[in-house]
Amino acid sequence: MRTHRFRHQAARTFFINPKCDMAIAVNHPLLLHALQQAALDRSVRAIHQQAGPEIDCPQVSLAGVVLDRVDGSFLLGVHELRPERSVEEAARLDFVLKRHGLRLLERDATDIRQEPLFSNARLAWSFARYHVPITDRLRIALALEDGGPQSVLELEERARPTCDTLAAVCALACQDLVGINISRDPLGPRTIVFAR
């Protein structure tokens, strides 16, 4: 009779969003929060994961998550504490990244957990699976098309959805169908919604 040994393996998490060309493997909660925030950011057009290359001098890996923003492509570095580099080290790193068409965007725990950004992104993503009926999607889209950017309260008055308007807006923002500003004020009736 055979005995089986089971290894304890952490469940692998993947981040999926319309801005991603494929699912992105996430190995740390801070990275997940950073990706959720990036997906809701108007300036981020696409998110993808790249395999490399590995550079020896200076020793740097170009593997990781790349954010394609309106102002360029950024290799995302997520850290508990931002690493300290000398001016020379920073210049060498910047040179290597530029040769590959990238810039470095480093975010640490303090940046990622900054309020109201952190709570707003978490709230929005808590509604990612919220079901928005097709009729409400159309009403919201038409109201935004006709009236331009407007608050959740104004959108509720114009579109008259049958579902919870804030939950619907958050779900649609996670699907990249509408935009919301998560960095200024807490999400609520006064949050401005805009068409994508």
Side-chain angles (χ1 to χ4, degrees), residues 85-162:
R85 293 184 188 92
S86 69
V87 174
E88 185 179 293
E89 289 171 324
R92 283 196 307 247
L93 179 59
D94 187 50
F95 175 76
V96 169
L97 290 170
K98 280 184 180 174
R99 286 189 60 209
H100 290 87
L102 295 168
R103 289 188 271 172
L104 184 62
L105 175 64
E106 288 187 300
R107 300 195 64 208
D108 62 20
T110 303
D111 296 333
I112 293 167
R113 293 186 179 124
Q114 182 180 346
E115 292 296 346
L117 176 68
F118 183 69
S119 295
N120 284 345
R122 290 193 60 179
L123 177 62
W125 281 94
S126 73
F127 292 111
R129 295 180 188 264
Y130 182 79
H131 175 70
V132 183
I134 191 69
T135 54
D136 288 342
R137 288 172 183 256
L138 292 171
R139 288 177 183 162
I140 290 169
L142 287 172
L144 290 172
E145 189 177 305
D146 292 342
Q150 54 202 280
S151 71
V152 170
L153 191 58
E154 292 169 319
L155 187 60
E156 187 171 46
E157 290 172 6
R158 284 197 174 114
R160 302 224 180 261
T162 59

Side-chain angles (χ1 to χ4, degrees), residues 6-8 15 25 34 41 55 57 59 69-70 73 75-76 87 102 104 106 118 121-122 138 142 147 156 194:
F6 295 98
R7 289 185 192 160
H8 176 71
F15 180 73
D41 186 340
I55 311 295
C57 188
Q59 189 161 5
R69 301 187 337 183
V70 293
S73 294
L75 181 64
L76 179 63
V87 174
L102 295 168
L104 184 62
E106 288 187 300
F118 183 69
R122 290 193 60 179
L138 292 171
L142 287 172
E156 187 171 46
F194 52 90

